[in-house]
Amino acid sequence: MKRRLNILSINQFFFPDSQGGVERVAHETAKRLAERGHIVHLVGQRMEPGTPDTEELYGLTVHRYGNAESRGRMGGRTRDALYASRRVLSELVAKQRFDVVLPHHYFPYYSYIGNTGRKTIPELMTFHASYWQELRLEGAERRTPKLLEQVIFGRMARRTEVACLKRADRIAVLSDFSAEQLSSYYSFATGKVVKIPGGVDLERFTPASDRNAVRKRLNLPVDRQILLTVRRLVPRMGLSNLVTAFGEVLARHPEAMLVIAGRGRLEQELKRQVVEGELSNSVRFTGFVDDDRLVDYYRAADLFVLPSVAFEGFGMVTLEALACGTPALGTPIGATPEILKPLAPQLVLRGTRPAALRRGIGMMLEWLSDARAAEELRKRCREYVESSFGWDAAVDALERLIFELTDAGRRDG
């Protein structure tokens, strides 16, 4: 019989308080470890005022740190949260005897390192991306002078990443792309890397029995081919390229409609692009979409498009769309080819620019205009995800690695 472990999951943002891809991976793995009988304490930053410091959620004990209303920000991260995470982690570690630490974000993990000093239990970090490199590409997303952020916050981010990656006993990655990216930035980490692919909740993300009924719930037309993208509205997501390409697609497919779900600093710029391109009748911005409605948007779409131009470490949204039976078309960036090529090579675009998007979208709309072919592809999408990206296999591999680390620690101790 397997030992019951006491696990500390260290996060900055976490589900359901925040609903990004990293948050989803951390949540699904922690929840499923708890379902297997392990005790899991998840520490994360407070995102909404009034949420309790500690509560039970999805079988986990959640501990929040920081003030959600703080205005002292640098690089989108509250300064008080950096200090608050250290206090909460210090108190928790003093009260609990943990068997393993599973960090998903650098800054609170760095706080944990500062608290504990000499390492006494195994630490298995999941590398989702290099925040320092993303910062260099995107620049500040908050109202911090660019030079100040790049010089001060950028240096701090890189120093923090290096310390965390050097400290971890093993570093889990979700894709071959992430492994290559990690090795190219931090060659010292290469020998620690273990690939554990992510998954998707196959019970939550399922095809619709009646897609027209789903569209009516969302106030979407039932007689148009609907393209969907779910993204943060920031430059590296390639949304401006998508809007440009879609305007050209409409010349041959006037019945098409593009739905853009998400929010971010480019929202007004993208809306101006839509108006100037006279696309307002064919492009809809939903803003933030909560978790319940997100499933319906996937189900309602004919095609999901991932137009990223950089840093697509895994692509959780791609898997969620496929699990709902919706074909996904993506740029050849990051892990997207790893996910889509085995399903159908045509689903990987030949580039990131509008011309490549236009050609790919046009080809897919022609394919999907054949009702029989569309139904067959939707069925293949679901079957592919079921066979390759269920969470059970991923958590099996994670649990085996955790036991390997904890057993080695017991022998060394």
Side-chain angles (χ1 to χ4, degrees), residues 368-406:
L368 297 171
S369 64
D370 181 324
R372 184 173 179 179
E375 187 59 33
E376 175 60 27
L377 182 56
R378 295 179 74 88
K379 181 180 177 183
R380 282 174 55 199
C381 290
R382 174 66 188 187
E383 291 174 347
Y384 170 65
V385 174
E386 287 178 341
S387 65
S388 303
F389 292 101
W391 272 115
D392 285 346
V395 177
D396 282 346
L398 176 63
E399 190 180 42
R400 283 195 299 271
L401 180 56
I402 291 171
F403 276 120
E404 175 188 319
L405 291 170
T406 56

mmCIF file of all heavy atoms in Angstrom, residues 368-406:
data_model
loop_
_atom_site.group_PDB
_atom_site.id
_atom_site.type_symbol
_atom_site.label_atom_id
_atom_site.label_comp_id
_atom_site.label_asym_id
_atom_site.label_seq_id
_atom_site.Cartn_x
_atom_site.Cartn_y
_atom_site.Cartn_z
ATOM 1 N N LEU A 368 -14.327 21.904 -43.106
ATOM 2 C CA LEU A 368 -15.451 21.797 -42.181
ATOM 3 C C LEU A 368 -16.796 22.108 -42.837
ATOM 4 O O LEU A 368 -17.851 21.892 -42.227
ATOM 5 C CB LEU A 368 -15.230 22.731 -40.989
ATOM 6 C CG LEU A 368 -13.991 22.404 -40.122
ATOM 7 C CD1 LEU A 368 -13.741 23.509 -39.111
ATOM 8 C CD2 LEU A 368 -14.166 21.063 -39.424
ATOM 9 N N SER A 369 -16.787 22.640 -44.052
ATOM 10 C CA SER A 369 -18.056 22.913 -44.743
ATOM 11 C C SER A 369 -18.739 21.627 -45.186
ATOM 12 O O SER A 369 -19.939 21.621 -45.482
ATOM 13 C CB SER A 369 -17.812 23.823 -45.956
ATOM 14 O OG SER A 369 -16.999 23.171 -46.919
ATOM 15 N N ASP A 370 -17.974 20.532 -45.234
ATOM 16 C CA ASP A 370 -18.542 19.214 -45.516
ATOM 17 C C ASP A 370 -18.998 18.628 -44.187
ATOM 18 O O ASP A 370 -18.168 18.285 -43.334
ATOM 19 C CB ASP A 370 -17.482 18.326 -46.173
ATOM 20 C CG ASP A 370 -18.000 16.933 -46.535
ATOM 21 O OD1 ASP A 370 -18.822 16.375 -45.777
ATOM 22 O OD2 ASP A 370 -17.562 16.397 -47.557
ATOM 23 N N ALA A 371 -20.293 18.521 -43.985
ATOM 24 C CA ALA A 371 -20.838 18.118 -42.687
ATOM 25 C C ALA A 371 -20.303 16.764 -42.240
ATOM 26 O O ALA A 371 -19.980 16.571 -41.062
ATOM 27 C CB ALA A 371 -22.360 18.087 -42.739
ATOM 28 N N ARG A 372 -20.185 15.841 -43.166
ATOM 29 C CA ARG A 372 -19.708 14.505 -42.804
ATOM 30 C C ARG A 372 -18.242 14.546 -42.393
ATOM 31 O O ARG A 372 -17.845 13.936 -41.395
ATOM 32 C CB ARG A 372 -19.905 13.553 -43.979
ATOM 33 C CG ARG A 372 -19.530 12.108 -43.674
ATOM 34 C CD ARG A 372 -19.908 11.192 -44.823
ATOM 35 N NE ARG A 372 -19.546 9.816 -44.552
ATOM 36 C CZ ARG A 372 -19.775 8.808 -45.386
ATOM 37 N NH1 ARG A 372 -20.398 9.043 -46.545
ATOM 38 N NH2 ARG A 372 -19.406 7.579 -45.076
ATOM 39 N N ALA A 373 -17.425 15.273 -43.163
ATOM 40 C CA ALA A 373 -16.007 15.391 -42.837
ATOM 41 C C ALA A 373 -15.821 16.110 -41.501
ATOM 42 O O ALA A 373 -14.951 15.752 -40.699
ATOM 43 C CB ALA A 373 -15.271 16.131 -43.951
ATOM 44 N N ALA A 374 -16.646 17.137 -41.261
ATOM 45 C CA ALA A 374 -16.552 17.884 -40.006
ATOM 46 C C ALA A 374 -16.874 16.992 -38.818
ATOM 47 O O ALA A 374 -16.184 17.023 -37.795
ATOM 48 C CB ALA A 374 -17.489 19.078 -40.039
ATOM 49 N N GLU A 375 -17.905 16.192 -38.938
ATOM 50 C CA GLU A 375 -18.296 15.304 -37.852
ATOM 51 C C GLU A 375 -17.211 14.267 -37.568
ATOM 52 O O GLU A 375 -16.909 13.957 -36.413
ATOM 53 C CB GLU A 375 -19.624 14.612 -38.184
ATOM 54 C CG GLU A 375 -20.201 13.784 -37.046
ATOM 55 C CD GLU A 375 -20.467 14.610 -35.788
ATOM 56 O OE1 GLU A 375 -20.810 15.795 -35.912
ATOM 57 O OE2 GLU A 375 -20.320 14.047 -34.672
ATOM 58 N N GLU A 376 -16.603 13.756 -38.625
ATOM 59 C CA GLU A 376 -15.544 12.772 -38.462
ATOM 60 C C GLU A 376 -14.335 13.400 -37.765
ATOM 61 O O GLU A 376 -13.723 12.788 -36.879
ATOM 62 C CB GLU A 376 -15.126 12.219 -39.826
ATOM 63 C CG GLU A 376 -13.945 11.267 -39.783
ATOM 64 C CD GLU A 376 -14.185 10.022 -38.933
ATOM 65 O OE1 GLU A 376 -15.347 9.615 -38.781
ATOM 66 O OE2 GLU A 376 -13.192 9.466 -38.403
ATOM 67 N N LEU A 377 -13.984 14.637 -38.140
ATOM 68 C CA LEU A 377 -12.843 15.299 -37.513
ATOM 69 C C LEU A 377 -13.124 15.604 -36.047
ATOM 70 O O LEU A 377 -12.239 15.438 -35.194
ATOM 71 C CB LEU A 377 -12.500 16.583 -38.259
ATOM 72 C CG LEU A 377 -11.289 17.365 -37.732
ATOM 73 C CD1 LEU A 377 -10.037 16.494 -37.696
ATOM 74 C CD2 LEU A 377 -11.055 18.618 -38.557
ATOM 75 N N ARG A 378 -14.327 16.035 -35.746
ATOM 76 C CA ARG A 378 -14.672 16.320 -34.357
ATOM 77 C C ARG A 378 -14.542 15.049 -33.503
ATOM 78 O O ARG A 378 -14.050 15.092 -32.373
ATOM 79 C CB ARG A 378 -16.087 16.893 -34.263
ATOM 80 C CG ARG A 378 -16.253 18.250 -34.935
ATOM 81 C CD ARG A 378 -17.684 18.763 -34.829
ATOM 82 N NE ARG A 378 -17.973 19.230 -33.487
ATOM 83 C CZ ARG A 378 -17.751 20.465 -33.055
ATOM 84 N NH1 ARG A 378 -17.231 21.373 -33.872
ATOM 85 N NH2 ARG A 378 -18.038 20.806 -31.825
ATOM 86 N N LYS A 379 -14.977 13.940 -34.058
ATOM 87 C CA LYS A 379 -14.874 12.661 -33.350
ATOM 88 C C LYS A 379 -13.410 12.292 -33.126
ATOM 89 O O LYS A 379 -13.017 11.851 -32.032
ATOM 90 C CB LYS A 379 -15.579 11.566 -34.157
ATOM 91 C CG LYS A 379 -15.553 10.196 -33.497
ATOM 92 C CD LYS A 379 -16.269 9.176 -34.376
ATOM 93 C CE LYS A 379 -16.187 7.778 -33.757
ATOM 94 N NZ LYS A 379 -16.830 6.768 -34.640
ATOM 95 N N ARG A 380 -12.568 12.485 -34.145
ATOM 96 C CA ARG A 380 -11.146 12.173 -34.028
ATOM 97 C C ARG A 380 -10.479 13.053 -32.974
ATOM 98 O O ARG A 380 -9.592 12.590 -32.243
ATOM 99 C CB ARG A 380 -10.459 12.366 -35.379
ATOM 100 C CG ARG A 380 -10.683 11.240 -36.363
ATOM 101 C CD ARG A 380 -10.093 11.595 -37.722
ATOM 102 N NE ARG A 380 -8.673 11.959 -37.628
ATOM 103 C CZ ARG A 380 -8.033 12.643 -38.566
ATOM 104 N NH1 ARG A 380 -8.667 13.065 -39.647
ATOM 105 N NH2 ARG A 380 -6.740 12.907 -38.411
ATOM 106 N N CYS A 381 -10.871 14.316 -32.889
ATOM 107 C CA CYS A 381 -10.295 15.222 -31.892
ATOM 108 C C CYS A 381 -10.520 14.684 -30.488
ATOM 109 O O CYS A 381 -9.588 14.629 -29.666
ATOM 110 C CB CYS A 381 -10.914 16.618 -32.028
ATOM 111 S SG CYS A 381 -10.424 17.515 -33.511
ATOM 112 N N ARG A 382 -11.743 14.301 -30.205
ATOM 113 C CA ARG A 382 -12.069 13.788 -28.876
ATOM 114 C C ARG A 382 -11.318 12.488 -28.590
ATOM 115 O O ARG A 382 -10.728 12.320 -27.509
ATOM 116 C CB ARG A 382 -13.579 13.581 -28.752
ATOM 117 C CG ARG A 382 -14.037 12.923 -27.453
ATOM 118 C CD ARG A 382 -13.782 13.803 -26.237
ATOM 119 N NE ARG A 382 -14.062 13.073 -25.002
ATOM 120 C CZ ARG A 382 -14.054 13.618 -23.798
ATOM 121 N NH1 ARG A 382 -13.787 14.901 -23.651
ATOM 122 N NH2 ARG A 382 -14.313 12.894 -22.725
ATOM 123 N N GLU A 383 -11.312 11.574 -29.541
ATOM 124 C CA GLU A 383 -10.646 10.290 -29.336
ATOM 125 C C GLU A 383 -9.144 10.462 -29.121
ATOM 126 O O GLU A 383 -8.532 9.763 -28.309
ATOM 127 C CB GLU A 383 -10.920 9.370 -30.532
ATOM 128 C CG GLU A 383 -12.369 8.910 -30.629
ATOM 129 C CD GLU A 383 -12.651 8.123 -31.902
ATOM 130 O OE1 GLU A 383 -11.778 8.165 -32.817
ATOM 131 O OE2 GLU A 383 -13.708 7.492 -31.989
ATOM 132 N N TYR A 384 -8.559 11.393 -29.838
ATOM 133 C CA TYR A 384 -7.124 11.645 -29.717
ATOM 134 C C TYR A 384 -6.762 12.124 -28.313
ATOM 135 O O TYR A 384 -5.799 11.643 -27.699
ATOM 136 C CB TYR A 384 -6.712 12.681 -30.761
ATOM 137 C CG TYR A 384 -5.306 13.222 -30.616
ATOM 138 C CD1 TYR A 384 -4.193 12.402 -30.773
ATOM 139 C CD2 TYR A 384 -5.096 14.569 -30.332
ATOM 140 C CE1 TYR A 384 -2.910 12.909 -30.642
ATOM 141 C CE2 TYR A 384 -3.814 15.081 -30.201
ATOM 142 C CZ TYR A 384 -2.728 14.248 -30.349
ATOM 143 O OH TYR A 384 -1.465 14.752 -30.217
ATOM 144 N N VAL A 385 -7.532 13.058 -27.789
ATOM 145 C CA VAL A 385 -7.252 13.574 -26.447
ATOM 146 C C VAL A 385 -7.479 12.489 -25.398
ATOM 147 O O VAL A 385 -6.692 12.360 -24.446
ATOM 148 C CB VAL A 385 -8.120 14.820 -26.162
ATOM 149 C CG1 VAL A 385 -7.954 15.265 -24.725
ATOM 150 C CG2 VAL A 385 -7.733 15.956 -27.095
ATOM 151 N N GLU A 386 -8.526 11.705 -25.574
ATOM 152 C CA GLU A 386 -8.786 10.617 -24.629
ATOM 153 C C GLU A 386 -7.618 9.639 -24.568
ATOM 154 O O GLU A 386 -7.252 9.146 -23.487
ATOM 155 C CB GLU A 386 -10.060 9.872 -25.026
ATOM 156 C CG GLU A 386 -11.343 10.620 -24.761
ATOM 157 C CD GLU A 386 -12.570 9.849 -25.208
ATOM 158 O OE1 GLU A 386 -12.432 8.920 -26.039
ATOM 159 O OE2 GLU A 386 -13.672 10.175 -24.736
ATOM 160 N N SER A 387 -7.018 9.353 -25.717
ATOM 161 C CA SER A 387 -5.954 8.349 -25.759
ATOM 162 C C SER A 387 -4.595 8.897 -25.335
ATOM 163 O O SER A 387 -3.722 8.127 -24.922
ATOM 164 C CB SER A 387 -5.838 7.771 -27.171
ATOM 165 O OG SER A 387 -5.428 8.770 -28.102
ATOM 166 N N SER A 388 -4.401 10.219 -25.429
ATOM 167 C CA SER A 388 -3.061 10.769 -25.234
ATOM 168 C C SER A 388 -2.909 11.769 -24.107
ATOM 169 O O SER A 388 -1.785 12.013 -23.650
ATOM 170 C CB SER A 388 -2.587 11.444 -26.542
ATOM 171 O OG SER A 388 -2.610 10.554 -27.619
ATOM 172 N N PHE A 389 -4.006 12.388 -23.639
ATOM 173 C CA PHE A 389 -3.853 13.503 -22.717
ATOM 174 C C PHE A 389 -4.798 13.454 -21.513
ATOM 175 O O PHE A 389 -5.192 14.493 -20.994
ATOM 176 C CB PHE A 389 -4.029 14.827 -23.464
ATOM 177 C CG PHE A 389 -2.929 15.118 -24.443
ATOM 178 C CD1 PHE A 389 -3.126 14.894 -25.792
ATOM 179 C CD2 PHE A 389 -1.693 15.572 -24.015
ATOM 180 C CE1 PHE A 389 -2.117 15.154 -26.716
ATOM 181 C CE2 PHE A 389 -0.671 15.831 -24.925
ATOM 182 C CZ PHE A 389 -0.889 15.613 -26.274
ATOM 183 N N GLY A 390 -5.135 12.264 -21.071
ATOM 184 C CA GLY A 390 -5.894 12.168 -19.831
ATOM 185 C C GLY A 390 -4.994 12.472 -18.639
ATOM 186 O O GLY A 390 -3.784 12.199 -18.666
ATOM 187 N N TRP A 391 -5.576 13.019 -17.579
ATOM 188 C CA TRP A 391 -4.773 13.382 -16.417
ATOM 189 C C TRP A 391 -4.266 12.171 -15.651
ATOM 190 O O TRP A 391 -3.245 12.252 -14.957
ATOM 191 C CB TRP A 391 -5.574 14.285 -15.482
ATOM 192 C CG TRP A 391 -5.468 15.737 -15.819
ATOM 193 C CD1 TRP A 391 -6.461 16.570 -16.244
ATOM 194 C CD2 TRP A 391 -4.284 16.536 -15.767
ATOM 195 N NE1 TRP A 391 -5.967 17.833 -16.466
ATOM 196 C CE2 TRP A 391 -4.633 17.838 -16.179
ATOM 197 C CE3 TRP A 391 -2.959 16.279 -15.418
ATOM 198 C CZ2 TRP A 391 -3.721 18.882 -16.246
ATOM 199 C CZ3 TRP A 391 -2.037 17.310 -15.489
ATOM 200 C CH2 TRP A 391 -2.414 18.595 -15.900
ATOM 201 N N ASP A 392 -4.945 11.036 -15.741
ATOM 202 C CA ASP A 392 -4.540 9.879 -14.945
ATOM 203 C C ASP A 392 -3.102 9.465 -15.243
ATOM 204 O O ASP A 392 -2.301 9.213 -14.331
ATOM 205 C CB ASP A 392 -5.486 8.699 -15.193
ATOM 206 C CG ASP A 392 -6.822 8.878 -14.503
ATOM 207 O OD1 ASP A 392 -6.918 9.765 -13.623
ATOM 208 O OD2 ASP A 392 -7.775 8.151 -14.848
ATOM 209 N N ALA A 393 -2.757 9.404 -16.525
ATOM 210 C CA ALA A 393 -1.397 8.994 -16.897
ATOM 211 C C ALA A 393 -0.376 10.016 -16.414
ATOM 212 O O ALA A 393 0.707 9.657 -15.931
ATOM 213 C CB ALA A 393 -1.304 8.814 -18.409
ATOM 214 N N ALA A 394 -0.707 11.294 -16.536
ATOM 215 C CA ALA A 394 0.217 12.344 -16.098
ATOM 216 C C ALA A 394 0.454 12.286 -14.595
ATOM 217 O O ALA A 394 1.601 12.399 -14.125
ATOM 218 C CB ALA A 394 -0.331 13.709 -16.499
ATOM 219 N N VAL A 395 -0.613 12.102 -13.824
ATOM 220 C CA VAL A 395 -0.473 12.065 -12.369
ATOM 221 C C VAL A 395 0.179 10.761 -11.926
ATOM 222 O O VAL A 395 0.894 10.737 -10.914
ATOM 223 C CB VAL A 395 -1.833 12.313 -11.687
ATOM 224 C CG1 VAL A 395 -1.717 12.215 -10.175
ATOM 225 C CG2 VAL A 395 -2.366 13.696 -12.077
ATOM 226 N N ASP A 396 -0.042 9.675 -12.658
ATOM 227 C CA ASP A 396 0.703 8.438 -12.380
ATOM 228 C C ASP A 396 2.207 8.706 -12.435
ATOM 229 O O ASP A 396 2.964 8.312 -11.534
ATOM 230 C CB ASP A 396 0.357 7.357 -13.417
ATOM 231 C CG ASP A 396 -0.977 6.693 -13.157
ATOM 232 O OD1 ASP A 396 -1.531 6.858 -12.048
ATOM 233 O OD2 ASP A 396 -1.473 6.019 -14.076
ATOM 234 N N ALA A 397 2.645 9.366 -13.516
ATOM 235 C CA ALA A 397 4.072 9.652 -13.681
ATOM 236 C C ALA A 397 4.571 10.608 -12.602
ATOM 237 O O ALA A 397 5.679 10.432 -12.066
ATOM 238 C CB ALA A 397 4.315 10.245 -15.075
ATOM 239 N N LEU A 398 3.769 11.614 -12.279
ATOM 240 C CA LEU A 398 4.158 12.562 -11.234
ATOM 241 C C LEU A 398 4.266 11.872 -9.883
ATOM 242 O O LEU A 398 5.247 12.086 -9.140
ATOM 243 C CB LEU A 398 3.132 13.692 -11.161
ATOM 244 C CG LEU A 398 3.341 14.727 -10.049
ATOM 245 C CD1 LEU A 398 4.653 15.470 -10.244
ATOM 246 C CD2 LEU A 398 2.169 15.714 -10.015
ATOM 247 N N GLU A 399 3.303 11.032 -9.562
ATOM 248 C CA GLU A 399 3.327 10.344 -8.272
ATOM 249 C C GLU A 399 4.526 9.408 -8.165
ATOM 250 O O GLU A 399 5.182 9.334 -7.123
ATOM 251 C CB GLU A 399 2.022 9.575 -8.076
ATOM 252 C CG GLU A 399 1.853 9.021 -6.668
ATOM 253 C CD GLU A 399 0.542 8.270 -6.501
ATOM 254 O OE1 GLU A 399 0.177 7.510 -7.432
ATOM 255 O OE2 GLU A 399 -0.111 8.414 -5.451
ATOM 256 N N ARG A 400 4.840 8.711 -9.257
ATOM 257 C CA ARG A 400 6.015 7.831 -9.246
ATOM 258 C C ARG A 400 7.289 8.627 -8.978
ATOM 259 O O ARG A 400 8.157 8.199 -8.199
ATOM 260 C CB ARG A 400 6.141 7.089 -10.587
ATOM 261 C CG ARG A 400 5.197 5.935 -10.775
ATOM 262 C CD ARG A 400 5.612 5.052 -11.928
ATOM 263 N NE ARG A 400 5.632 5.757 -13.205
ATOM 264 C CZ ARG A 400 4.584 5.852 -14.020
ATOM 265 N NH1 ARG A 400 3.426 5.291 -13.682
ATOM 266 N NH2 ARG A 400 4.678 6.500 -15.160
ATOM 267 N N LEU A 401 7.404 9.796 -9.616
ATOM 268 C CA LEU A 401 8.582 10.626 -9.418
ATOM 269 C C LEU A 401 8.656 11.147 -7.982
ATOM 270 O O LEU A 401 9.729 11.176 -7.370
ATOM 271 C CB LEU A 401 8.574 11.783 -10.418
ATOM 272 C CG LEU A 401 9.747 12.763 -10.343
ATOM 273 C CD1 LEU A 401 11.083 12.041 -10.472
ATOM 274 C CD2 LEU A 401 9.603 13.838 -11.414
ATOM 275 N N ILE A 402 7.518 11.531 -7.434
ATOM 276 C CA ILE A 402 7.489 12.009 -6.052
ATOM 277 C C ILE A 402 7.953 10.906 -5.093
ATOM 278 O O ILE A 402 8.780 11.143 -4.195
ATOM 279 C CB ILE A 402 6.079 12.500 -5.672
ATOM 280 C CG1 ILE A 402 5.748 13.791 -6.432
ATOM 281 C CG2 ILE A 402 5.971 12.731 -4.163
ATOM 282 C CD1 ILE A 402 4.300 14.235 -6.279
ATOM 283 N N PHE A 403 7.449 9.693 -5.285
ATOM 284 C CA PHE A 403 7.867 8.591 -4.410
ATOM 285 C C PHE A 403 9.349 8.280 -4.588
ATOM 286 O O PHE A 403 10.050 7.956 -3.620
ATOM 287 C CB PHE A 403 7.024 7.346 -4.682
ATOM 288 C CG PHE A 403 5.713 7.328 -3.939
ATOM 289 C CD1 PHE A 403 4.508 7.266 -4.618
ATOM 290 C CD2 PHE A 403 5.686 7.372 -2.555
ATOM 291 C CE1 PHE A 403 3.308 7.260 -3.941
ATOM 292 C CE2 PHE A 403 4.486 7.369 -1.859
ATOM 293 C CZ PHE A 403 3.288 7.306 -2.564
ATOM 294 N N GLU A 404 9.834 8.384 -5.807
ATOM 295 C CA GLU A 404 11.265 8.161 -6.054
ATOM 296 C C GLU A 404 12.099 9.169 -5.256
ATOM 297 O O GLU A 404 13.093 8.806 -4.619
ATOM 298 C CB GLU A 404 11.555 8.302 -7.547
ATOM 299 C CG GLU A 404 13.023 8.214 -7.922
ATOM 300 C CD GLU A 404 13.255 8.549 -9.381
ATOM 301 O OE1 GLU A 404 12.455 8.103 -10.216
ATOM 302 O OE2 GLU A 404 14.234 9.264 -9.678
ATOM 303 N N LEU A 405 11.670 10.425 -5.276
ATOM 304 C CA LEU A 405 12.404 11.466 -4.568
ATOM 305 C C LEU A 405 12.299 11.306 -3.053
ATOM 306 O O LEU A 405 13.290 11.448 -2.326
ATOM 307 C CB LEU A 405 11.879 12.849 -4.974
ATOM 308 C CG LEU A 405 12.187 13.281 -6.407
ATOM 309 C CD1 LEU A 405 11.416 14.549 -6.746
ATOM 310 C CD2 LEU A 405 13.687 13.512 -6.583
ATOM 311 N N THR A 406 11.091 11.026 -2.560
ATOM 312 C CA THR A 406 10.911 10.906 -1.125
ATOM 313 C C THR A 406 11.584 9.643 -0.580
ATOM 314 O O THR A 406 12.142 9.661 0.518
ATOM 315 C CB THR A 406 9.427 10.918 -0.741
ATOM 316 O OG1 THR A 406 8.726 9.873 -1.449
ATOM 317 C CG2 THR A 406 8.788 12.259 -1.076
#
